[in-house]
């Protein structure tokens, strides 16, 4: 493309030949109003508000739409002559006659001094700018919208006027619509994530979390338009450093290691099945994790404690033991909830003037400084009620209380049934083992207990080791625990691993199997039995031989040897026969 | 006096023995008829142990290992799983009721299950009555001096 010279309002600029006048003017900082122009889409010149006067500087001139008028050498553009203004005003007036209530048109009308359009005041809200159709075709690539009908009946429709499978619900059309004609409606069978309701939607490209390492945004292929339709790629167009890589995939790497520390953590209990609390039905019923996100200064609300409608809550109930200490879900105590619940009430008191109600079964403030904090909370005007929250219902009785909630509970200290009106409920959900803990445990040959937590080698004497050598546990994967305990266990696991690595040699168990060569017939039955490939066949001697460093002493080969030629040290046949004899005599 | 069965239990070190330990530390009550022998893996249980136990007067034999897929030694319990049906065939040929030998999976966290298994199996053996072996005795093969030496090592 060759560069040519054009003049805009007397300013000489260079532009690419064939590029559009509107862009050149915008680069100069000259304001040209438009309603149907959007970068990354072909200009359509539907609104005709961007009218300018194009001339050759020798007397010829005409009114053109700047968004799709290509620049040519010697072109002179005037953007604010009375003739231009008049053209814009008339075009705007015609749009207003069709769509009087649209705010963006009202604003422009004010600028152009139109009080009442001459040709009536239509009630439509679509100005037929075609942005939605173009974004769906050119950017998203879904082709789910088109113009239908003709003349005065022309409108934007989905195929046959029905919800289409081609629509991927990306919302791009609603985003570009200048008049608010297109909105995203809740479609009954689409499940809204609770998170989305209370804390705002996540974009398809975002930082995983603030402290993520490396601190770079990632694309969520499930929600990214490009991964759904192959179109869009807007992020790569706006990135000045060309950092967007759509082909990046997970890779597998093999690393040789000497020890493993399991620190797979925990899952949060999902309270949705507990219908009585209405989680995911009432937007102001949130989990402790969601409250923590909201409370974060870098979070979506900037650390403000807000209801779904953006108002500050007047009363908050914090329900302890949701899913823990519960016969139907987890019998164990999650250990951390009592104390974080107190922290929450402290923060609520600090940030808002809301009343706080704590509904507990038993207070477990067992750690250093914990009881003192509990006592402090009691003096902070927090209502601490002994009795588990039984039910959350919408408070429909009083006028003006729509959307607010009633928490029902039995206050066991005064022996009364209570109904507490609140705006927000925080559920202190149980810590539970990771969903795939059992599978992970199998991969590392360690076992999980009835609750799904990994089992340590000994509850008192070896709380960090596992029954498999070189694999250590740290943190909540071994059981619900708080931060200090996790840090302590993590330190212990690290030093165990370091010890193993620094020693340079490994202590072997004295128990292992050996082959008595003179009895071995060389049948090789044992060879394939060993899970550790510890048995090899000596071709020269025609006998099997066990590598004692690789043998884990399970004794499978001992039991299988038809000649009785393999001896399992510490568990020999004679020892076991003797035990049987001793027990039965 | 009522019949108190004598039962030998072979428990694998990593799951069932730990499970039995858990039942003990949790003070779970179960009949004292089962006497445990610890082996490293249920795959170590030689059919001759079972036969030896019966020949020496056991009324029942219980073999417990890790659940399939959970074996500490990857697949020792599968070996056991294949040997037990063969052992049952041998028992049958000796005229010993199949119900006197049982294979059970008990994991390290299943103290309560261990208790259940013991209770149930003891009742089963009690119902079967004392084992009566006729006219034959089973002697374990006489071991060479060398084998004894290795055994003590």
């Amino acid at each position: 493309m060759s560069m040519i010279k054009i003049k805009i309002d007397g300013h000489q600029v260079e532009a690419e030949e064939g590029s559009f006048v509107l862009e050149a003017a915008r680069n100069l900082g000259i304001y040209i109003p438009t309603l149907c122009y959007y970068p990354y889409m072909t200009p359509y010149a539907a609104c005709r508000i961007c009218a300018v006067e194009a001339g050759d500087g020798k007397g010829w001139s005409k009114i053109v739409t700047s968004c799709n008028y290509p620049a040519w050498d010697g072109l002179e553009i005037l953007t604010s002559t009375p003739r231009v203004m008049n053209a814009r005003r008339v075009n705007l007036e015609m749009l207003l006659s069709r769509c009087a209530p649209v705010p963006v048109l009202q604003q422009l009308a004010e600028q152009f001094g139109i009080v009442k359009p001459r040709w009536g005041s239509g009630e439509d809200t679509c100005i037929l700018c075609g942005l939605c159709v173009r974004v769906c075709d050119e950017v998203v690539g879904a082709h789910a919208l088109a113009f239908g009908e003709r003349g005065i009946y022309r409108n934007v429709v989905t195929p046959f006027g029905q919800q289409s499978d081609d629509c991927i619900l990306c919302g791009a059309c609603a985003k570009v619509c200048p008049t608010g004609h297109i909105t995203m409606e809740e479609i009954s069978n689409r499940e809204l994530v609770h998170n989305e309701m209370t804390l705002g939607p996540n974009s398809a490209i975002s930082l995983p979390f603030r402290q993520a390492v490396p601190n770079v945004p990632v694309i969520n292929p499930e929600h990214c338009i490009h991964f759904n339709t192959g179109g869009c790629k807007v992020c790569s167009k706006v990135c000045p450093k060309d950092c967007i890589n759509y082909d990046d995939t997970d890779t597998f790497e093999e690393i040789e290691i000497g020890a493993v520390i399991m620190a797979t953590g925990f899952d949060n209990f999902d309270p949705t099945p507990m219908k009585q609390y209405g989680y995911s039905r009432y937007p102001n019923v949130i989990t402790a994790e969601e409250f923590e996100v909201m409370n974060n200064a870098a979070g979506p609300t900037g650390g403000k404690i807000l209801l779904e409608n953006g108002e500050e809550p007047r009363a908050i109930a914090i329900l302890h033991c949701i899913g823990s200490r519960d016969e139907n879900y987890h019998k164990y105590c999650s250990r951390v909830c009592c104390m974080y619940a107190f922290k929450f009430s402290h923060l609520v008191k600090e940030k808002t003037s809301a009343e706080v109600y704590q509904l507990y079964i038993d207070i477990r403030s067992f750690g250093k400084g914990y009881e003192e904090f509990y006592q402090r909370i009691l003096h902070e005007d927090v209502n601490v009620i002994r009795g588990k929250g039984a039910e959350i219902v919408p408070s429909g009785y009083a006028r003006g209380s729509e959307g607010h909630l009633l928490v029902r509970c039995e206050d066991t200290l005064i022996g009364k049934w209570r109904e507490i009106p609140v705006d927000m409920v925080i559920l202190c959900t149980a810590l539970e083992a990771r969903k795939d803990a059992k599978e992970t445990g199998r991969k590392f040959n360690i076992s999980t207990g009835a609750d799904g937590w990994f089992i340590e080698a000994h509850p008192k004497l070896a709380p960090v080791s596992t029954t498999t050598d070189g694999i250590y546990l740290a943190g909540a994967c071994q059981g619900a625990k708080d931060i200090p305990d996790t840090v302590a266990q993590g330190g212990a696991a690290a030093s165990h691993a370091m010890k193993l690595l620094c020693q340079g040699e490994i202590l072997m168990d004295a128990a292992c199997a050996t082959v008595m060569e003179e009895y071995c017939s060389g049948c090789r039955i044992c060879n394939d039995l060993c899970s550790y490939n510890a048995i090899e066949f000596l071709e020269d001697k025609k006998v099997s031989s066990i590598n004692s460093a690789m043998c884990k002493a399970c004794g499978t080969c001992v039991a299988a040897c038809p000649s009785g030629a393999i001896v399992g040290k510490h568990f020999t046949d004679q020892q076991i026969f003797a035990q049987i004899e001793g027990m039965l005599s | 006096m009522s019949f108190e069965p004598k039962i030998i239990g072979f428990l694998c070190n990593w799951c069932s023995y730990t499970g039995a330990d858990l039942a003990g530390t949790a003070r779970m009550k179960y009949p004292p008829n089962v006497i445990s022998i610890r082996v490293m893996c249920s795959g170590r249980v030689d059919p001759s142990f079972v036969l030896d136990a019966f020949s020496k007067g056991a009324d029942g034999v219980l073999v417990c290992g890790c659940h399939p897929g959970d074996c500490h030694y990857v697949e020792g319990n599968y070996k056991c799983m294949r040997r037990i049906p063969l052992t049952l065939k041998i028992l049958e040929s000796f005229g010993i009721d199949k119900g006197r030998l049982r294979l059970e999976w008990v994991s390290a966290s299943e103290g309560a299950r261990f208790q259940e298994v013991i209770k149930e199996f003891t009742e089963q053996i009690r119902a079967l009555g004392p084992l009566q072996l006729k006219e034959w005795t089973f002697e374990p093969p006489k071991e060479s001096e060398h084998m004894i030496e290795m055994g003590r090592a």
Side-chain angles (χ1 to χ4, degrees), chain A residues 16 165 241 306 319 365 478 555 558:
Chain A
E16 268 179 28
D165 287 343
K241 302 271 186 196
L306 297 176
L319 272 58
S365 53
Q478 182 252 332
V558 186

Side-chain angles (χ1 to χ4, degrees), chain A residues 271-282 329 390-392:
Chain A
T272 316
M274 302 178 99
K275 298 282 183 216
Q276 66 268 40
Y277 297 127
Y279 177 78
S280 79
R281 231 176 329 136
Y282 311 131
Y329 299 96
E391 195 181 15
I392 296 166

Side-chain angles (χ1 to χ4, degrees), chain B residues 94-145:
Chain B
F94 284 135
I96 299 175
D97 194 292
K98 274 182 166 185
R100 292 188 186 272
L101 171 63
R102 192 195 273 196
L103 174 63
E104 284 283 356
W105 309 128
V106 176
S107 84
S109 58
E110 292 177 332
R113 182 173 153 75
F114 183 76
Q115 180 193 29
E116 264 319 292
V117 165
I118 298 284
K119 273 187 185 168
E120 206 192 334
F121 191 59
T122 309
E123 282 318 303
Q124 186 180 332
I125 301 297
R126 202 189 295 279
L128 284 171
L131 175 66
Q132 313 244 313
L133 292 174
K134 289 169 203 161
E135 296 200 9
W136 62 271
T137 48
F138 180 81
E139 283 290 320
K142 232 182 159 66
E143 50 273 33
S144 70
E145 278 190 359

Side-chain angles (χ1 to χ4, degrees), chain A residues 84 95 166 265 314 325 366 402 436 525 546:
Chain A
V84 167
L95 285 178
D166 286 337
R314 291 167 300 175
R325 304 190 68 203
F366 55 90
E402 291 83 12
D436 56 354
I525 285 177
I546 296 175

Side-chain angles (χ1 to χ4, degrees), chain A residues 442 445 467 519 571 573 577, chain B residues 44 52 70 72 79 144:
Chain A
R442 270 184 191 169
N445 202 10
T467 48
Y519 291 97
F571 292 90
D573 286 358
F577 284 134
Chain B
R44 174 69 183 94
D52 185 56
D70 284 349
H72 184 78
K79 310 287 187 323
S144 70

